[in-house]
Amino acid sequence: QVQLVESGGGLVQAGGSLRLSCVGSGRTFSRYAMGWFRQAQGKEREFVGAITQSGGRTYYADSVKGRFTISRDNAKNTVYLQMNIMKPEDTAVYYCAADSPLSTYYYYPSEYAYWGQGTQVTVSS
């Protein structure tokens, strides 16, 4: 079992950057693949990106590819989401989630067993 806590959200202007962090509890963090999802008001939760247990492979939604980067530091039990060239449509609550191992269907929220509480990201135009 792992508990996840996100941080780093806030208000940013279009074209700006933010870095989100997600810290996991316990000694087994490195056993989990991690995903980032987001949910805009009135919309379904959508996949943003995922990273394998070792960090060797990453996957991204087309809408963020080339702008967002996922990385992890297993020594710090932390996964990051670096968001660049942000757009107003990136406004949402961002969640990190843990899966062991990374599912073939990693883009489905239902594949992840553990979730953080979310952090709000707002991009102004």
Side-chain angles (χ1 to χ4, degrees):
Q1 190 171 1
V2 62
Q3 293 181 326
L4 305 172
V5 178
E6 303 97 335
S7 62
L11 175 65
V12 63
Q13 288 188 332
S17 299
L18 275 178
R19 188 176 80 157
L20 305 183
S21 299
C22 172
V23 179
S25 64
R27 299 182 178 180
T28 60
F29 182 79
S30 61
R31 297 181 185 177
Y32 293 92
M34 300 298 296
W36 283 98
F37 289 78
R38 65 187 182 186
Q39 188 166 17
Q41 192 170 5
K43 295 188 177 181
E44 294 186 353
R45 193 166 297 190
E46 67 172 1
F47 172 73
V48 174
I51 188 167
T52 54
Q53 289 94 318
S54 67
R57 302 192 73 170
T58 54
Y59 305 87
Y60 298 95
D62 288 343
S63 59
V64 306
K65 201 171 294 183
R67 300 189 298 120
F68 291 11
T69 303
I70 297 175
S71 60
R72 68 188 297 163
D73 184 343
N74 286 336
K76 295 182 178 180
N77 282 12
T78 303
V79 62
Y80 304 97
L81 180 65
Q82 178 67 45
M83 304 183 291
N84 298 328
I85 318 175
M86 297 187 72
K87 305 175 181 180
E89 50 264 44
D90 294 323
T91 295
V93 177
Y94 282 71
Y95 299 89
C96 65
D99 184 23
S100 178
L102 188 65
S103 166
T104 300
Y105 303 101
Y106 54 81
Y107 39 87
Y108 285 130
S110 58
E111 295 295 309
Y112 293 79
Y114 304 104
W115 290 82
Q117 82 290 349
T119 185
Q120 175 70 47
V121 171
T122 303
V123 184
S124 63
S125 56

